[in-house]
Amino acid sequence: MEASFEVTLQMAIAVFAGIGAQVLAAYLRLPSIVILLLLGILLGGDGVGLLHPQVLGTGLEVIVALATAIILFEGGLNLDLRELGKVSLSLQLLVTLGTLITLIGGSMAAHWLGEFPWNIAFLYASIVVVTGPTVVGPLLKQIKVDRQVATLLEGEGVLIDPVGAILAFVVLDTIVNGDADPVNAIVGLVMRLGIGGAIGAAGGYFMSLIFKRANVLSTELKNLVVLAVLWSLFTLAQMIRSESGVMTTVVAGAVFANSSVPEERSLRSFKGQLTILSVSVLFILLAADLSIASVLALGWGSLFTVLVLMFVVRPVNILCCTWKSNLNWRQKLFLSWVAPRGIVSASVASLFAILLTQRGINGGDSIKALVFLTIIMTVVCQGLTAGWVAKFLGITSEQATGAVIVGCNPLSLLIARFFQERGENVVLIDTDPDCLAQAEAQNIRVIASSALDGEVLDEAGLGSMGTFVAMTSNGEVNFVLAQRAAEEFNPPRVLAVFPRDPANGSANHKVSQAFVSDLQIKTWNEYLNDGRVKLGTTTLSESDFASQQEHIQDKIRNGVLVPLLVEREERLQIIPANQEWEVGDRIIYLLHDSRPNLLKRLSGASQSTPLVLEKLPEVEEVPLTKVPQLSTSDASLS
């Protein structure tokens, strides 16, 4: 009873500490792995001594194996083959040539600087060729770099994990068995990748069939069936060829995710929660088992080894693998900076330390210490600075420009013109050939198709655009289109013209109402067609900010003014209904001109007169009754 209770206590502490670290990281907005590592070390033998992972015995290896399967499967689920196709050559090179560059460069650094024998140096380098998807994924969600860079980093992290893990085991097998024949090593690597890939592809297809056809099963039960099948596939692959299971899990996830499975969102949510739990527990346990003394005993040479890996080997890797890509120097520099190692490196290093010790080969503890030093330095250094570097280089998705507009009508044409005049890409999507002809006459790019088709949005280039707005005459359709665009492409700004309470609820944080709540878009399109509007601009000043805002909001409530765009820090954006205005904002709006058409003709205006952007006295001159607080001097100025 005492032994079983000790194991239970260790697991309970690990789970509580892991989830607590995740909560603290979310609160502090830091990469969770930083808190997990620090807390794990603090709770371990070199800290307060609450956690002793060695008590778990071989159970620790089982936990590592099954948790890694979940983590890599979830990574495979996030692979978008359509997006990967855009960076396929660079990604292929990163997984192949990049692996070779890191293997050679890392082993040379470990041998010459860290003074490790060549066999241990190669083993270290084979472990750290991987970048951690469990670190890269949350990091990219936090800093939101542009889609092309994010896709490349996520794809590299997920695909290189099985390659690196299998490569590490091949190197270990070579060291343990004394077989230095490179042909056997290459054959072993290819065999594991092939067997794992084949089993994963078949298993992923089988999982998709379960979700598509097993209608008698509830969604919750389907999720658990997939988990059971996943672990079975992993075990089967391991039985056929050791260490091929890691490839199986990635391929199974990728095949499942790209099989158009209904209710896939629920599985993603379930697997995402399991991944957070797995990562939390593993990092706490593995960090608690780390000896700080062994890290300090490595000396300065090992520190220089990691620095060379970060600042020499990685940039050379990126430069060689993206040489012929369309990435600019800013994107390449960011890719060179971000390559944090994660849970796969930590788990493989911990397992290797045990295996080498069992075989009586020196260097197991040193390898584990050096790998954890690499994880700590890359995660802390790159993880904490990646957001600042991305902003400095100007490659965050928030800085993306251009717009994809669904619905070709007078209002959308007007907005498209503003983006076009700023030199930004703009694409209109609609099925009405007459409306699209008007857009083409103004040299605006159009796509005559339905925006419900993800391939159409991909053709429009939404992956690299800053704004998506759905503004057809059907509010419910607009909301659905915006939801799908947000889920599949995740552009920085997703807006739609929809009712206050759409069928699916308006609490979706990814989709904002465009312009104003409950915009009568048909009415304003009629106003534009009939020439019953003026196009105005006003800049919010510090002295009259409150009065200006109140005056404009009053006209919005009366239904005579619709704010369209805001220019802030020299960037033009579509105004959401919940926009918080700031001093210095330049607002571009439409004002309803209620004068009869006959009176307007007599005053020289005509229906065909193009709208001119101007300061309108109806908005610029704030009535004194609205601003009782103004001083006499201020009032005389107005």
Side-chain angles (χ1 to χ4, degrees):
M1 286 294 291
E2 290 184 1
S4 62
F5 177 75
E6 183 65 24
V7 172
T8 303
L9 180 62
Q10 293 295 304
M11 289 304 301
I13 293 174
V15 171
F16 183 82
I19 300 304
Q22 292 282 359
V23 172
L24 182 61
Y27 178 76
L28 298 176
R29 295 186 177 181
L30 293 173
S32 58
I33 189 174
V34 175
I35 308 297
L36 287 167
L37 281 170
L38 293 177
L39 190 56
I41 293 172
L42 178 64
L43 294 175
D46 287 349
V48 296
L50 281 178
L51 268 180
H52 303 281
Q54 60 272 18
V55 171
L56 301 176
T58 56
L60 180 59
E61 297 178 35
V62 176
I63 294 171
V64 169
L66 296 181
T68 302
I70 293 174
I71 293 167
L72 293 180
F73 179 74
E74 202 255 346
L77 283 178
N78 293 326
L79 288 179
D80 188 333
L81 297 184
R82 184 175 58 238
E83 287 297 321
L84 289 178
K86 298 178 182 178
V87 291
S88 59
L89 179 59
S90 297
L91 186 58
Q92 290 170 14
L93 289 174
L94 280 173
V95 176
T96 53
L97 177 62
T99 299
L100 183 62
I101 291 173
T102 306
L103 178 65
I104 295 174
S107 59
M108 290 169 65
H111 176 70
W112 288 330
L113 297 176
E115 298 182 354
F116 283 84
W118 276 112
N119 57 350
I120 301 299
F122 268 105
L123 189 57
Y124 160 75
S126 67
I127 296 173
V128 296
V129 295
V130 302
T131 58
T134 54
V135 186
V136 171
L139 192 62
L140 294 178
K141 288 179 182 178
Q142 187 179 10
I143 62 177
K144 296 180 180 178
V145 297
D146 72 56
R147 192 170 180 84
Q148 194 172 13
V149 172
T151 300
L152 196 55
L153 282 173
E154 287 177 339
E156 179 195 18
V158 173
L159 294 178
I160 208 170
D161 262 6
V163 174
I166 292 173
L167 174 64
F169 275 96
V170 170
V171 174
L172 177 68
D173 187 58
T174 302
I175 293 173
V176 171
N177 297 322
D179 186 0
D181 189 351
V183 175
N184 291 338
I186 294 173
V187 169
L189 178 64
V190 173
M191 285 287 291
R192 287 175 170 87
L193 291 174
I195 292 172
I199 295 175
Y205 179 72
F206 177 65
M207 292 177 188
S208 67
L209 288 181
I210 293 174
F211 256 71
K212 290 178 180 179
R213 300 184 181 180
N215 297 323
V216 296
L217 301 179
S218 66
T219 301
E220 293 78 9
L221 191 54
K222 286 180 181 178
N223 291 338
L224 292 173
V225 169
V226 167
L227 177 61
V229 172
L230 171 66
W231 278 343
S232 300
L233 292 171
F234 177 79
T235 306
L236 175 63
Q238 293 288 89
M239 289 173 58
I240 296 176
R241 189 81 179 194
S242 64
E243 309 317 321
S244 60
V246 286
M247 189 65 179
T248 296
T249 57
V250 171
V251 173
V255 170
F256 183 94
N258 291 274
S259 299
S260 301
V261 177
E263 301 173 333
E264 181 190 337
R265 193 182 309 168
S266 66
L267 179 68
R268 286 181 182 272
S269 176
F270 175 64
K271 286 295 185 287
Q273 292 171 350
L274 286 180
T275 296
I276 292 174
L277 177 62
S278 301
V279 170
S280 303
V281 172
L282 282 185
F283 262 117
I284 289 290
L285 289 174
L286 297 177
D289 197 38
L290 177 66
S291 169
I292 299 299
S294 64
V295 176
L296 296 176
L298 293 174
W300 289 102
S302 294
L303 180 66
F304 294 142
T305 297
V306 180
L307 291 175
V308 167
L309 190 71
M310 294 170 60
F311 299 118
V312 178
V313 177
R314 177 65 177 182
V316 169
N317 186 351
I318 294 299
L319 185 63
C320 293
C321 296
T322 61
W323 184 261
K324 293 187 177 181
S325 71
N326 59 354
L327 297 172
N328 58 44
W329 69 268
R330 292 183 177 86
Q331 293 170 317
K332 292 179 180 179
L333 186 57
F334 184 79
L335 289 170
S336 299
W337 179 250
V338 178
R341 272 60 178 183
I343 194 64
V344 173
S345 293
S347 58
V348 171
S350 299
L351 183 59
F352 281 12
I354 296 171
L355 293 176
L356 288 174
T357 302
Q358 290 175 347
R359 297 296 182 95
I361 300 175
N362 293 327
D365 289 338
S366 297
I367 276 199
K368 180 180 176 181
L370 185 54
V371 169
F372 268 88
L373 179 64
T374 306
I375 293 171
I376 292 170
M377 289 182 62
T378 56
V379 166
V380 173
C381 181
Q382 298 169 353
L384 295 180
T385 61
W388 179 84
V389 171
K391 289 180 181 178
F392 176 76
L393 295 174
I395 62 167
T396 62
S397 60
E398 297 295 332
Q399 296 166 298
T401 59
V404 173
I405 304 174
V406 180
C408 187
N409 50 58
L411 190 57
S412 63
L413 283 171
L414 177 63
I415 291 171
R417 245 179 41 221
F418 274 101
F419 279 100
Q420 188 181 52
E421 288 170 2
R422 304 274 296 208
E424 298 185 21
N425 292 327
V426 61
V427 181
L428 279 168
I429 302 175
D430 206 321
T431 55
D432 188 334
D434 294 332
C435 293
L436 293 176
Q438 296 178 33
E440 287 184 315
Q442 299 181 40
N443 295 319
I444 297 173
R445 184 187 168 201
V446 300
I447 296 179
S449 188
S450 170
L452 287 169
D453 188 348
E455 293 185 1
V456 172
L457 297 179
D458 186 48
E459 180 187 350
L462 183 55
S464 59
M465 294 284 197
T467 302
F468 172 90
V469 57
M471 46 191 303
T472 72
S473 57
N474 190 321
E476 301 291 343
V477 170
N478 290 339
F479 186 74
V480 171
L481 288 171
Q483 273 192 316
R484 293 195 60 177
E487 291 169 0
E488 294 185 24
F489 293 88
N490 195 30
R493 294 169 292 280
V494 182
L495 304 101
V497 176
F498 60 83
R500 188 182 300 275
D501 295 306
N504 293 325
S506 59
N508 189 310
H509 298 298
K510 293 184 178 180
V511 179
S512 302
Q513 278 186 305
F515 314 120
V516 295
S517 298
D518 298 323
L519 174 69
Q520 303 299 316
I521 192 168
K522 289 183 180 179
T523 302
W524 282 90
N525 279 324
E526 289 174 3
Y527 290 164
L528 279 161
N529 280 329
D530 297 340
R532 288 184 283 166
V533 292
K534 295 178 180 178
L535 184 62
T537 177
T538 187
T539 301
L540 302 180
S541 64
E542 185 173 1
S543 58
D544 297 330
F545 179 73
S547 56
Q548 283 179 301
Q549 186 168 241
E550 182 186 352
H551 181 49
I552 293 173
Q553 292 294 342
D554 185 51
K555 288 188 175 294
I556 292 173
R557 286 190 292 270
N558 292 332
V560 297
L561 185 147
V562 174
L564 301 179
L565 302 158
V566 59
E567 185 178 39
R568 180 182 295 172
E569 297 177 355
E570 300 183 353
R571 296 179 61 205
L572 194 67
Q573 296 181 9
I574 295 174
I575 288 184
N578 60 353
Q579 175 77 50
E580 293 185 4
W581 294 351
E582 299 176 0
V583 172
D585 283 350
R586 181 182 178 229
I587 311 298
I588 298 173
Y589 58 86
L590 280 179
L591 184 70
H592 178 217
D593 186 357
S594 57
R595 291 180 298 164
N597 285 336
L598 177 60
L599 181 60
K600 283 191 286 187
R601 290 194 184 99
L602 290 175
S603 65
S606 68
Q607 182 174 331
S608 59
T609 301
L611 290 172
V612 178
L613 188 63
E614 56 186 333
K615 291 184 178 292
L616 302 177
E618 298 97 317
V619 176
E620 288 293 301
E621 297 176 5
V622 181
L624 292 179
T625 55
K626 296 284 184 184
V627 224
Q629 294 86 3
L630 284 177
S631 65
T632 305
S633 60
D634 289 333
S636 64
L637 288 174
S638 63

